[in-house]
Amino acid sequence: MKNLKSKRQIILSHTLTYFNFLNLALAVLVILSGQYKNMLFMGVVISNSLIGIIQELKVKKTIDRLSIITASKAHLVTDQGIQDIPLKDLQAGASLYFSTGDQVVADCTVTKSQGLEINESMLTGESLPQAKKPGDKLFSGTFVVAGSGQATANQVGQDNYASRLVEKARSKRRASSEMQNTIKKIIRLVSYAILPIGLLLFYIQFYQSGSTLSDALVQTVAGVLGMIPEGLVLLTSVSFILGVGRLARQKALVQEMEAIEALARVNVLCLDKTGTITSGNLTLTDILPLNSYGDQMVENLMGSLLYGFSEDNATSRALKAYFPGNDLYQIGETMAFSSSRKFMGADLVDAGTFVLGAPDFLSQDLPLIRKAERYASQGYRVLLLAACDKLAPSAQDLEGLIPYALFLLSDQIKEDARETLEFFAREHVQVKILSGDNPATASIAASQAGIDGADRYVDASTLSEDPDLVQEELGDYVVFGRVSPEKKRAILKAYQARGQVVGMVGDGVNDVLALTEADCGIAMANGADAARQAAHILLMDSNFSSMKNIVKEGRIIIANIQRVSALYLTKTIYSVLLCILFIILGKDYPFIPIQLTLISAVAIGIPSFLLTLERAENLRPGSFSQHVLRISLPAAILLTAGILCIHFLTDPLGLSRLQVQTLNLLTGGAVSLGVLVAVCQPMKKHLALMCLVLSLGFLGALFFLPEFFGVLPLWDLF
């Protein structure tokens, strides 16, 4: 996880908090009052801090082991070849090697370039790749989208921009957490309200209701104490921390904790075909010579052309496995493959200039394009080898194109793809395929993997670049072919504009922009450096099927937090309401701290800890605030109304102070335990047993220790 805290930072983050200092100040007031039993709430505060520290330290140990695996490395050029070294060992003046998908790890000067192209969007905001030649500067944090090259490191470590650029990139696309944002707003409002309400409450208790200084301090502490949702803060942080640990055991490295919530709420999942539903291991199935060019000529040309590039990807491996290298033609100028260009090319001395790429991008020959589409519709990936007058940066600028041969490559559907995709269908998650391949080819693969609606496909190159227009053009398409990196991002933004929570799974440099834009970006650990840096979550085993367990874990975590947040917020809401009402009435606050501690223990603290360990996946629809307030607001109003009824009936019924305190505590406990029963729905046997035991514990405390809790024995109530 990025910016994983040190042990010291973990301890400080759980101890030196606003609410801990506030509780400490309240404890001092209780000490001044002399009613020491009302300090019992500090035991809960200390326990909360210890639990948070212990849990986060345990998770840190797990994450540290995974982080070592994915730590960024520099590719150092040495006399013995290219060696990987940790970034901390990189020194200025070192010679570095970069290839497609690598992130630039230091500020450098290019010394060798073989079609080297850099995406500098993290630095400049410009997503179009920039060609680099010897003498050009490379900036840390950018990444290679095409070609390869060498460079001399000028600035390393604290002197370069890598860390700051990555953090800037993350701040722009940080995974959103509606739940955490809501909790932060509640805490901020309560924090502002505590001081004025506390001072007014003390004024009323001491100067108007006639309480002694000792009682006024204790009652003020009770009012303020009930408003503090410190347990909710702990619950959220510990639940997320535990979630990170659970996902780590599922071979998923969470780089931003907020991504857990985004993942749980994803309802549109975009996938890159290769490496997710297909194995990515291509095989050259057939060669179709064109225009009377023979197999031998094609083999000779490919034996030189392919080996003029250093790229190592599935396509080049499949072609090199079929065509052995030769020295028939010297390599002149080259142009490396990029996902936006859709082709690669080179000058072969004494043979001419040749390009290799997607037929529908390179050629305008309709019969040839239809022939390629016919094979693509059968599930093949089709490549065209053609001669041209000279290399150009885009297919539209190529002149004098002469087709030489079509190559048919086949891919295999992963064995576990169908089962995984069926899981998402059951969970009502729409799966969309965003592929750089021919849309018909991608459609066949999606159909073989069992994706519903795979026959609804479109050539994404025909869609608008404007996300607002793309939103209107999306229709009900399931498969998008010929998707450029920029178009992937536009499609994701269009779905988000429709109000969808969008996840993106990818592993290549062409997925980086989409991973950056997604609500939850998921990358394969064996993917490109740039993809790993852009993602919120890494699949350590690079196994798409593990997504099932990861989504389940995410939903369990968020469902648990949603359920128990209602317990905490009920107390906060009724405490605020009671403080305001009893300030207006000018009367004693109805609770003392020890009574609120009892209610908090049996109806909030103990059950919230147990519910956090639940494995229920029933994540309720709607926003976090709607779900929590649906339970907590009516309950808080009911409790407040009950306390007011007791207050107004005190004189007519001639109730004593202890009788009133006892009725107040019974009302508070009954409503709070009722909220517990509500959040445990659907009720299971072990949850019913928990509710019963806690209810008996509450009554037992009043039965055996009435004086300790400041109430009458139950048999003396009336």
Side-chain angles (χ1 to χ4, degrees), residues 42 81 178 205 226 268 282 374 437 566 595 600 614 622 681 694:
M42 283 303 296
E178 188 255 346
Q205 307 300 298
V268 173
L282 299 175
R374 191 163 62 250
D437 285 348
Q595 294 169 347
S600 296
E614 274 286 287
Q681 303 301 321
L694 291 171

Side-chain angles (χ1 to χ4, degrees), residues 587-634:
K587 298 295 182 179
D588 289 344
Y589 190 75
F591 295 110
I592 58 175
I594 190 65
Q595 294 169 347
L596 288 178
T597 301
L598 175 61
I599 293 173
S600 296
V602 299
I604 302 174
I606 296 172
S608 67
F609 176 75
L610 297 174
L611 287 172
T612 303
L613 304 177
E614 274 286 287
R615 305 293 295 167
E617 298 173 38
N618 54 328
L619 184 63
R620 297 180 183 273
S623 69
F624 172 76
S625 55
Q626 288 173 339
H627 171 71
V628 172
L629 291 177
R630 180 179 62 84
I631 297 174
S632 59
L633 185 58

Side-chain angles (χ1 to χ4, degrees), residues 636-669:
I637 292 173
L638 177 63
L639 191 150
T640 304
I643 297 295
L644 285 177
C645 286
I646 295 169
H647 171 76
F648 287 119
L649 290 174
T650 297
D651 290 337
L653 296 178
L655 299 176
S656 68
R657 179 183 176 87
L658 280 177
Q659 283 177 310
V660 170
Q661 291 249 337
T662 307
L663 290 172
N664 287 342
L665 183 53
L666 284 171
T667 302

Side-chain angles (χ1 to χ4, degrees), residues 113-115 300-310 326-336 344-354 391:
S113 173
Q114 191 173 51
N300 291 342
L301 291 171
M302 291 294 287
S304 295
L305 176 66
L306 290 172
Y307 294 88
F309 298 87
S310 58
N326 62 52
D327 299 322
L328 295 177
Y329 305 105
Q330 267 190 312
I331 302 293
E333 182 185 357
T334 61
M335 181 166 288
M344 58 188 282
D347 288 330
L348 302 183
V349 179
D350 299 329
T353 301
F354 290 85
L391 293 175

